[in-house]
Amino acid sequence: MSGHFNTRELFHLPNNITYLDGNSLGPLPKKALQGVEKRMREEWGEMLITAWNKAGWMGEPVTLANRLGRLIGARTDTTVLGDTLSIKVFQAVSAGLHLNKGRKKILSDTGNFPTDLYMADGLAKLSGQGQHLVTVEPQEVENALDEDVAVLMLTHVDYRTGRMHDMADLTEKAHEKGIITVWDLAHSAGAVEVDLSGCNADFAVGCTYKFLNAGPGAPAFIYVRPDLVSKIEPALCGWLGHAAPFEFEPQYRPGLDIERMRVGTPSVLQMASLSAALDAFDGIEMKDVRARAIELGGLFIDLVERDNPDLKLASPRDTHKRGSQVSFHFEHGYGAIQALIERGVIGDFRAPDIMRFGITPLYLDEVDIEHAASQITAVMSTQEWADARWQHRARVT
Ligand SMILES: *Cc1c(COP(=O)(O)O)cnc(C)c1O
């Protein structure tokens, strides 16, 4: 049982596994099994195409996003589900460039996740009007805000180190220079408190398969500030973002408000698992999840540092600047993570030398943290990381 939450039994956690990788792929919520099966048998199976109306499939990208909105400080009808996070990054940044025509720079930081940088760079080239991506060190972002920046695109919590940007402060400073902000919440949604509305953020995007536990391939989401959305001319003019998809008009007309950020057919089966995953957050406040994650993360750092002088903390020590993952630098980190997985403790490795652990209070408690730390110490003291089997990296690390 979690110390403060009674949610552990809502998840299927395999025997003899301590899972510290919910930051990459959350575990299976037990209700998702029934939810997806019901959707397949009773809805797809029995209702066939009538389920789009009868079972409400067509409206779910908004109705489910509204449930998710509570966790990220987004008001009703400001967020919609669909596609993958990479696509949502493209949509948000292109909308930002359009709103700030004439400005040339997309500003990001060097710690950002590659897909965000690749999508922005590809988009800038596609635009073909001299737009370009500029990256600076995370601590230099504030100094790099100037009036040639169209869009500030940042990942709120750094995927490798857990370093967290101050969203309210950077959004305000960006706005002073007329810059549109795009926040990637991949490692924030379901992990830390986020107040998009309170921060006056312009755009936010994220995925639902990490801390939100909706499963591999679950839909991404995009948030647009309510007073901006009607000004957006979507770059990806999909039929389901059209004002009247079933009029089948030859010309695109953007849909009402957030609906215009839809593209094509939503992933209906995965929305059933997302619905079950969101049930696990019912009655839970993100501030309590956050407080507990800080407690457990602090314990983990103390225990690992106490016994493993070769592991150097890569995450900020200051809890205000750290999200929900704790990472350590270690030259042989890949082998160390493989040896740990063999011992039933699952974390992951991020090149070049990061051992990364997700702290997820809905299903982890002190017992798990202590066990994980003791297994890390065992791997380090026996040098299991040096095993010849780990010399070649698997396709997914
Ligand atoms: C996980 C992650 C992604 C993944 O994008 P997909 O399109 O879902 O594969 C993108 N950006 C960040 C910051 C991430 O952490």
Side-chain angles (χ1 to χ4, degrees), residues 84-87 112-113 115-116 155 159 184 186-187 207 209-210:
T84 66
L85 177 48
S86 304
I87 300 293
N112 207 345
F113 193 89
T115 205
D116 299 50
T155 294
Y159 75 105
D184 188 328
H187 294 278
C207 53
Y209 53 82
K210 292 175 179 167

Side-chain angles (χ1 to χ4, degrees), residues 125-175:
K125 287 180 182 140
L126 181 69
S127 304
Q129 285 162 11
Q131 281 101 340
H132 55 280
L133 173 67
V134 177
T135 55
V136 297
E137 294 292 305
Q139 64 279 9
E140 292 301 322
V141 168
E142 190 180 325
N143 292 333
L145 300 172
D146 65 40
E147 267 141 40
D148 200 28
V149 177
V151 177
L152 173 63
M153 172 190 80
L154 293 174
T155 294
H156 180 220
V157 174
D158 185 290
Y159 75 105
R160 263 193 293 235
T161 63
R163 189 253 327 113
M164 184 161 62
H165 279 302
D166 185 335
M167 184 186 291
D169 183 56
L170 281 174
T171 300
E172 190 184 332
K173 289 187 170 127
H175 284 172

Side-chain angles (χ1 to χ4, degrees), residues 48-118:
L48 293 162
I49 200 164
T50 67
W52 284 104
N53 291 319
K54 270 194 208 155
W57 292 352
M58 196 46 102
E60 246 181 26
V62 175
T63 56
L64 271 183
N66 284 340
R67 290 186 62 200
L68 191 160
R70 183 180 75 84
L71 306 178
I72 55 173
R75 299 218 176 95
T76 305
D77 295 347
T78 57
T79 307
V80 68
L81 298 169
D83 316 298
T84 66
L85 177 48
S86 304
I87 300 293
K88 288 328 199 195
V89 168
F90 185 94
Q91 281 185 300
V93 176
S94 62
L97 286 178
H98 188 80
L99 289 167
N100 248 340
K101 266 201 203 110
R103 296 190 180 202
K104 297 292 182 227
K105 285 195 260 182
I106 303 166
L107 178 65
S108 191
D109 72 50
T110 51
N112 207 345
F113 193 89
T115 205
D116 299 50
L117 300 176
Y118 302 158

Side-chain angles (χ1 to χ4, degrees), residues 258-304:
I258 197 67
E259 296 264 4
R260 70 184 55 188
M261 303 316 277
R262 294 177 67 161
V263 182
T265 304
S267 45
V268 173
L269 301 183
Q270 301 262 202
M271 290 194 296
S273 62
L274 174 58
S275 177
L278 290 173
D279 289 348
F281 284 89
D282 280 349
I284 287 181
E285 296 299 327
M286 283 312 302
K287 72 169 172 22
D288 298 325
V289 175
R290 174 69 176 145
R292 187 80 179 120
I294 287 174
E295 221 168 79
L296 294 173
L299 173 67
F300 186 61
I301 293 173
D302 288 348
L303 293 174
V304 172

Side-chain angles (χ1 to χ4, degrees), residues 299-377:
L299 173 67
F300 186 61
I301 293 173
D302 288 348
L303 293 174
V304 172
E305 285 191 326
R306 186 188 67 193
D307 298 326
N308 300 283
D310 289 341
L311 301 186
K312 300 280 176 259
L313 186 66
S315 303
R317 216 170 274 285
D318 178 351
T319 54
H320 298 292
K321 298 196 171 134
R322 188 175 77 229
S324 252
Q325 56 263 54
V326 171
S327 305
F328 296 92
H329 293 287
F330 178 52
E331 190 189 342
H332 307 287
Y334 180 74
I337 286 288
Q338 298 314 305
L340 262 179
I341 292 174
E342 205 163 69
R343 287 172 167 268
V345 175
I346 303 186
D348 60 22
F349 171 76
R350 286 294 172 263
D353 68 345
I354 296 260
M355 295 169 69
R356 182 176 73 162
F357 303 94
I359 310 293
T360 50
L362 291 193
Y363 51 87
L364 293 178
D365 64 12
E366 278 82 0
V367 175
D368 302 303
I369 296 297
E370 282 161 14
H371 176 70
S374 73
Q375 295 303 304
I376 291 172
T377 303

